Amino acid sequence: MGWRFVLHSQLSFNRSGAVAHQNKLLLRQGDNDMACGHHCVLMALMLLGVISRDALYEDAPDERLLETCAIGQARYFSGCSTTQLKEQLAPFSDQVRCRHLQQDVATRTIEALESDQVCLVRFSSDSYTHWVLAVGLMYADDKPHSLLLLDPLMDSVPLTPWNALLEHWGTKKLRNTNARWSEKATLEKVVQVGLRSRRGTAIQLP
């Protein structure tokens, strides 16, 4: 079986895992919070080049970032709906476009990732409901097989620009797979996020 990997054009990797704009990209949530959605919003903005990782730690951050963080932190222990994720992206609406995909979701997710956008994906399993950031695609024999994910619940994988997969994308066999477990998953929501200023093409991993 031939495998092919397609990634966001600004995504790379080093020994610490995923990198964007020369900075580590993965943001980790805590063991006891429900801030996966908020972390995915921030990672999406970092990968798109709208904010930097350093901006998260500045004493006087950008007012738009302050607003995004305030909305996210208000839901830190209760989790975020699709509407609340879009509210967190709204302060950057002059640069970023977001869309809740509601029809032909599997196909349109693939199209978004191929066109150098990212997708916030919510799935559920027997153990939890979770948001992850889709940053690319894995093809098997030129057919879409898996979404490549940055999962804020998981550690980075050295020399790899993702740390989890949603396997068998677009089928009833969907599975959430990472270094710690693999489990059956059910797709719930997808929010497509991209820059207003450009529509590009994702790159193929050599």
Side-chain angles (χ1 to χ4, degrees):
M1 181 177 290
W3 300 97
R4 182 166 63 89
F5 301 89
V6 174
L7 301 169
H8 191 278
S9 64
Q10 299 303 312
L11 185 63
S12 59
F13 58 90
N14 60 22
R15 292 182 180 180
S16 66
V19 172
H21 308 283
Q22 300 182 330
N23 287 299
K24 182 177 179 180
L25 182 56
L26 182 67
L27 295 173
R28 291 290 311 279
Q29 67 180 109
D31 292 334
N32 299 316
D33 65 57
M34 296 181 68
C36 50
H38 179 55
H39 284 73
C40 288
V41 166
L42 295 177
M43 288 191 290
L45 292 172
M46 288 165 55
L47 180 54
L48 295 173
V50 177
I51 65 171
S52 67
R53 191 180 185 96
D54 289 343
L56 301 176
Y57 308 105
E58 291 178 354
D59 292 333
D62 181 276
E63 289 186 5
R64 298 176 301 168
L65 180 56
L66 277 176
E67 184 178 351
T68 291
C69 290
I71 297 169
Q73 288 168 7
R75 307 290 303 177
Y76 215 79
F77 294 100
S78 55
C80 294
S81 67
T82 301
T83 298
Q84 289 154 351
L85 287 189
K86 292 172 71 175
E87 289 174 352
Q88 293 177 55
L89 291 161
F92 296 93
S93 60
D94 61 326
Q95 295 173 271
V96 172
R97 174 184 294 132
C98 65
R99 178 183 301 164
H100 177 200
L101 303 183
Q102 300 183 67
Q103 296 180 332
D104 300 322
V105 174
T107 298
R108 292 175 67 192
T109 300
I110 292 168
E111 291 172 351
L113 295 172
E114 285 277 10
S115 62
D116 218 26
Q117 300 179 66
V118 296
C119 290
L120 285 74
V121 180
R122 191 174 81 183
F123 66 85
S124 60
S125 68
D126 289 341
S127 54
Y128 67 144
T129 298
H130 192 46
W131 285 101
V132 291
L133 181 66
V135 294
L137 297 157
M138 180 172 72
Y139 285 84
D141 293 334
D142 285 327
K143 295 181 180 179
H145 181 277
S146 304
L147 299 190
L148 307 177
L149 310 175
L150 286 175
D151 184 340
L153 192 60
M154 297 295 146
D155 290 328
S156 293
V157 178
L159 301 176
T160 307
W162 63 87
N163 66 351
L165 303 171
L166 272 178
E167 298 183 291
H168 308 292
W169 180 251
T171 76
K172 295 181 179 180
K173 298 180 180 180
L174 190 69
R175 294 190 70 83
N176 168 42
T177 299
N178 54 60
R180 293 164 59 184
W181 63 70
S182 179
E183 60 184 352
K184 184 177 180 180
T186 300
L187 177 65
E188 293 198 350
K189 306 287 183 181
V190 176
V191 178
Q192 171 185 337
V193 184
L195 292 173
R196 290 187 178 276
S197 59
R198 64 181 293 270
R199 184 176 179 86
T201 303
I203 59 172
Q204 185 165 315
L205 191 66

